[in-house]
Amino acid sequence: MGIIVAKFGGSSLADASQFRKVKSILFADPDRHFVVPSAPGKRDSDDIKVTDMLYTCYNMVSAGKISLFEETFAMLKTRYLEIIEELGIDLDFTAPLATVHDELLSGASVDYAASRGEYLNGMILAAFLGWEFIDAASYIFFDENGQFDAEKTQELLSKKLKDTSYAVIPGFYGCNPDGSVKTFSRGGSDVTGAIVSRAAFADLYENWTDVSGVLMADPRIVKKPKRISVITYRELRELSYMGASVLHEEAIFPVRMAGIPINIRNTNAPEDPGTMIVRADASHVRGAITGIAGKKGFTAIAIEKNCMNREIGFGLRVLQALEECHVPIEHLPTGIDTMTVVVADSNIAGSIDAVVEKIRATCNPDHIEVITGLSLIATVGRGMVRYPGTAAKLFGALADAGINIRMIDQGSSELNIIAGVESVDFERAINAIYTAFTK
Ligand code: ASP
């Protein structure tokens, strides 16, 4: 007997038939004690998420467009009432809907507005399951600076959950020190799921969505990529940073701290094992990679100076130039006489000339070149660490495909090899790497 926290995303709770799937998943294992729902998501690609409707409601009230507010609110109301009616739950939703309506109309905050999607959905789910409803605003706290207050939350929420056997805790929001509602950033129900898992001292955090786990590469680039069965938190972080969208970025920290594994599962295919995200895993195949992710839109500033390594403070002055222009750096591959700074286009737009000028003035380089139109590709895998041959395979695959590598960076963790290629080669490069490691 253990404790499982199950978070269900918006598409898993988009209508009554999805609610039924959720119920049968929850009731299939009595260890599933706590459930964290999102607001109803899209039923099809043309549909509107309830959270988006709520943001519209807020914007319409702010703009004084009351009839448009009423129209949107009526749509939202219909979505909830349809779910209740189709599920046949004995729940009078008139009062909760009226309260939300009146609060919005009288100028409630944008966070209050957005949070009501999860709040109302949580009430319906609790009634459908016959479980207790725990309002997240009473147990998830933010501090004076608007940061999540992990300590206070852990203390009060764990006390509450210890005395609760089965409950629904809506995702996405908590409360400010003054008691007003505050949301996490978009997709934040993942974070709530992680916080609840830690507070419940859970053995497993299940994150139910509409895909059967994390894929080795973006399916829009690689045709039918394989599913990753096990990935470590660190690998996932590397892949997510490079563009793989799996979980909300902040959802990893609370469970990672507590060493609770995350299982990404598919509500529409509950028999699929999904992907396990764990702290460490020894079962990996030597030399195998876990996944590939990449992003377009980078610029490299390549600086050359004879014997720069002997010049104390050279690197510092390069970085100072970027700091003074408020440009964060992504990567910093260095050679004996070269140092390259890779930055995201979005961060350096408009200040590239100023940065180059500053580096020229303070570092007096022999040569400085700005390379634009770069893409970065991260090949990530705990199986690569300390096993020779991975880099050769990777670069061999790119060479065989006739792809010019403009930059290489292997972090000291040896978990990740970053290759910079021209953006025109981006998709081909990812396919070449994927094929080399999966054939
Ligand atoms: N409903 C919120 C959103 O759409 C939070 C979530 O679904 O995780 O961003």
Side-chain angles (χ1 to χ4, degrees), residues 19 238 270 278 299 323 346 353 371 388:
F19 265 73
E238 302 274 1
V278 298
T299 294
E323 188 191 347
S346 53
D353 292 342
I371 307 161

Side-chain angles (χ1 to χ4, degrees), residues 140 142 148 172-174 182-186 188 191-192 195 250:
I140 291 185
F142 291 87
F148 167 60
F172 193 35
Y173 70 92
K182 179 169 170 59
T183 59
F184 292 101
S185 55
R186 293 300 304 263
V191 185
T192 310
I195 292 166
E250 287 156 46

Side-chain angles (χ1 to χ4, degrees), residues 7-11 37-41 49-52 55 114-115 117-118 171-173 184-192 248:
K7 179 257 167 180
F8 288 87
S11 61
S38 281
K49 284 171 121 189
V50 163
T51 309
D52 291 328
Y55 279 118
S115 73
E118 272 69 11
F172 193 35
Y173 70 92
F184 292 101
S185 55
R186 293 300 304 263
S189 297
D190 281 346
V191 185
T192 310
H248 190 294

